[in-house]
Structure formats: structure tokens, C-alpha cells
Amino acid sequence: MNYELFRIFAKTMDIQAYTQEAVELLKQLISTPSVSRDETAAADILADFIGKCGLPCQRIGNNLLVHEQLDAEKPTVLLCAHIDTVKPVSTWTRDPFTPTVEGDRLYGLGSNDCGGGLVSLLQAYRILRGEGSEVRGERLAYNLVYLASCEEEVSGANGFSLALPQLPKIDVAIVGEPTGMQPAIAERGLMVIDGLARGKSGHAARNEGVNAIYEALDDLVWLRDYRFSKISALLGATKMTVTVLNSGTQHNVVPDECRFVIDVRPNEYYQNEYLFAFLQNHMKKCELTARSFRLRSSHIDEQHPLVQRCKAMGLQPFGSPTLSDQALMPFPSFKLGPGDSARSHSADEFICFSEIEKAIATYVELLS
């Protein structure tokens, strides 16, 4: 890693000092429960830290937007990560809200997803803006904006969607989700569809009525067997899976309704609206209702200068199966963050101090 890049900003800047400061901030955030839709206390802590750094901070609900004066002649880069966490699973062997250090590891809920990215991007923002320098940010060929979002884990209306209208025009975004500091340049979308087959109730002993389960069978088999033709080199095929099925009230009553849920994960070749219309046209008996079309697959051109810069640094672009705030971004974006996605939403989640240090250094090298 080229640590000489740091010297262009401030004589007093120390990568280890910034890392240690990031770790201490992350410990505070772990100690403060911030499950989606309950992020107020954690946002307070982060806003207080940002204020003590002398940075302007606009609070939009529990989203925190940071940027200084923007130059209209320059492109704008957004650094984005989320504050909120999922609920802790029951198999934790440690207190998920007590930051625990073991060697290079910091254990705690949200440490990996995505506290590491949250604090690393903030430190990179401070360094790149020239903290301690007499000429703050004027060395950069672009504007830099930092956003700590909330409700990411539930794609909530008061998260990134609430902050989006308050953002300046963004040319490209880096999202600090855990990717092992490799660039995820494509991401699957998500569409949840409710299905309904109607029948007619009757007494099972007399073979009366129309069984709604049998009405749904042909459509369910088609959903199981159909394969979409456009295969992504980064994400593979678009997937759809029936994940919930409910029907019937008791053993001797022919069910008059069969309800099910389809989980659809598009690659970058398919828009949610197209997929929904396609599925509707192929249902023989079932009615479909999409809960939302807003969580779209995202993709950034591999020829984008930042992606090319990643490759020049020896980083390997890949496609990510997991959803993030990228799905709501109407501008080019990619994920790049410390940690491992496999640790997310799992018991005994952790981030490594060395991963945070590497992340800060990599962000600065990438954007310098």
C-alpha cells in the first residue's frame, strides 16, 4: 500500500492514529443498539463525532449528510455506508452490544455490516478533504460527499430514500458494504411477489368444491422450472424462488385460497417491471401482486475510471448477490468495504483492526 499518498494532506496525519480513532468510534456504535428504525442514539453519537471533527453535518431523519462547499465545475463522489443493524440472532456466544477485542478482531453487532465501512469511509473523507491542511479539499479534482444512512437493512422509506432528494448531483458512489476490499461492480436486485390461487370450499369427504392448492400447482411447477435466458458474467442467472406457501383451515375442508410468496433476484439484464409482467403473462390460474419495484439490480461499467483504477491497484471486480442502498441509487455506484459478507447477519460478527486500516489506506489511494 502506498502510504506516501497520505503526506500530501497533513504533516500530523498518522494512518494508525486514524485507524485507532475509527476503532474507538466503532466501539461506541456497537455499544449503542441501532436496529433498523431505531437508530437515533447511534446517529447522535456519529453526529457528535463529526461535529468534533469540525465538519458540517446535515441531519435528515437519522441520516447524516456531510460535505463542504461544492464546486459546480467538478464531478461529485459519494461515500455511503449505513448506521443500522439487523436484530441479533439467538446463537451469539458474546453480548452483541458489548465490543469485545480478541487479538486483531473486534466483535459486536454491526461491526462487519457495516460499521467497519462506516467509520473507514468517514476517516477517508477527512483525510481526502485535507484535514489539518490550509487548503481543504482544493487539491481534489472532484467534490466529496459522505452519507451515513439508516434503515438500510429493511430498505425503509426513512433511510437512503429520504436523504436522496437532499443530495447534490452525484456522479458516482462508493458503498462501504463488506466486500473484502474488492470492488463489487454489480449487485442483484430484489422483488417480492405475493401469489394467490382461488378455489371453492367444500367438504373433503364428499369431494366438493375446487381445491385452491391444486389450482396453484401448475403455476408453482412452472415457477420452479423456468430459467431466464440472459446470464450475467458477474451475477449469473436471474433467480426466482417460492419461499412461503399457506393454504387451508382444517383437514376436512377443501381450501378456497392458496397464498404464496415469490422471491425474485434479478441480474442487471432485467428490470423488475418487465419481470413482473412476464410472470403475470405465464400464470394460468394465479393472481400476482408485486410489493415494490424499487429495489433494482445495479451495475457500473467496467470501463468507469474508478473501476479501472481499482484494477490498476490489483483489486478484482466481482458481482454481489446481496442487496444494499445501491438498489436505490439513480447514479453509477459500486460496493467496496472492509470485512466479509459471510460474517454479516451471523452470530459473533466481527471486523479486524487490520481490515479497517487497509480500508482507509485503500480508499485514499483509490481517490487520490
Side-chain angles (χ1 to χ4, degrees):
M1 189 58 63
N2 183 5
Y3 292 109
E4 290 299 318
L5 289 165
F6 292 94
R7 296 183 181 179
I8 68 176
F9 295 108
K11 294 179 181 179
T12 59
M13 198 211 51
D14 183 331
I15 179 62
Q16 292 183 338
Y18 273 93
T19 300
Q20 185 58 43
E21 195 174 46
V23 168
E24 292 306 313
L25 173 59
L26 182 52
K27 288 179 180 178
Q28 291 184 63
L29 294 172
I30 291 170
S31 300
T32 308
S34 55
V35 174
S36 301
R37 300 193 174 98
D38 190 20
E39 308 98 339
T40 300
D44 289 344
I45 289 171
L46 189 56
D48 182 66
F49 178 87
I50 291 168
K52 288 177 179 177
C53 293
L55 298 171
C57 181
Q58 179 185 355
R59 188 155 181 166
I60 309 164
N62 285 325
N63 305 282
L64 304 177
L65 176 61
V66 179
H67 64 80
E68 297 171 87
Q69 185 172 355
L70 303 178
D71 185 339
E73 300 300 316
K74 294 180 178 181
T76 300
V77 178
L78 172 66
L79 308 179
C80 181
H82 64 88
I83 301 170
D84 61 311
T85 72
V86 296
K87 295 178 181 179
V89 296
S90 61
T91 50
W92 274 81
T93 63
R94 303 165 172 81
D95 180 354
F97 301 112
T98 298
T100 305
V101 176
E102 294 182 11
D104 188 39
R105 294 181 177 185
L106 172 61
Y107 289 89
L109 183 65
S111 56
N112 180 78
D113 186 14
C114 71
L118 184 74
V119 298
S120 298
L121 282 173
L122 179 56
Q123 298 297 68
Y125 175 92
R126 293 170 62 195
I127 295 166
L128 288 161
R129 289 296 303 163
E131 185 171 82
S133 171
E134 294 180 359
V135 186
R136 291 177 63 84
E138 292 187 13
R139 297 177 185 272
L140 299 178
Y142 54 87
N143 301 306
L144 198 59
V145 175
Y146 173 83
L147 177 67
S149 65
C150 63
E151 296 193 6
E152 188 272 348
E153 296 289 4
V154 294
S155 301
N158 291 317
F160 184 85
S161 293
L162 183 66
L164 180 59
Q166 303 299 317
L167 294 179
K169 180 182 178 297
I170 303 297
D171 292 275
V172 65
I174 298 174
V175 181
E177 292 286 327
T179 66
M181 290 309 293
Q182 303 298 326
I185 64 172
E187 164 183 286
R188 287 191 180 278
L190 169 64
M191 179 171 52
V192 180
I193 299 175
D194 293 300
L196 170 63
R198 299 182 187 276
K200 182 179 180 181
S201 61
H203 199 300
R206 293 197 294 266
N207 197 29
E208 293 176 342
V210 177
N211 193 317
I213 297 175
Y214 298 160
E215 292 293 285
L217 278 179
D218 286 345
D219 287 341
L220 293 173
V221 169
W222 183 85
L223 289 167
R224 181 195 67 185
D225 293 341
Y226 186 78
R227 299 292 182 267
F228 291 96
S229 60
K230 295 180 181 179
I231 310 298
S232 166
L234 292 163
L235 298 173
T238 289
K239 297 180 179 180
M240 55 181 177
T241 309
V242 177
T243 54
V244 179
L245 182 68
N246 292 298
S247 187
T249 56
Q250 58 190 63
H251 77 90
N252 57 354
V253 178
V254 172
D256 59 359
E257 284 189 347
C258 179
R259 296 182 178 272
F260 57 94
V261 176
I262 314 169
D263 179 291
V264 184
R265 304 282 174 158
N267 63 24
E268 72 270 27
Y269 294 127
Y270 294 99
Q271 294 294 315
N272 288 340
E273 291 87 347
Y274 167 83
L275 290 173
F276 180 70
F278 180 82
L279 295 182
Q280 276 188 315
N281 288 337
H282 283 79
M283 293 294 99
K284 296 180 179 179
K285 297 288 183 68
C286 295
E287 305 168 17
L288 300 182
T289 304
R291 296 183 187 179
S292 170
F293 297 123
R294 62 197 285 263
L295 302 176
R296 303 178 183 279
S297 176
S298 58
H299 177 253
I300 188 171
D301 193 325
E302 196 163 350
Q303 299 308 310
H304 189 282
L306 279 181
V307 178
Q308 290 298 303
R309 173 71 173 153
C310 284
K311 294 171 73 173
M313 290 168 59
L315 308 181
Q316 299 296 319
F318 72 103
S320 170
T322 58
L323 201 68
S324 73
D325 277 336
Q326 269 190 284
L328 304 171
M329 294 181 178
F331 38 76
S333 60
F334 63 99
K335 292 191 291 198
L336 181 69
D340 185 339
S341 182
R343 300 177 206 153
S344 302
H345 305 183
S346 64
D348 299 329
E349 177 185 353
F350 68 88
I351 192 77
C352 295
F353 301 147
S354 56
E355 290 174 323
I356 292 176
E357 181 175 357
K358 179 181 178 181
I360 296 171
T362 300
Y363 289 140
V364 173
E365 183 175 359
L366 173 64
L367 292 165
S368 294

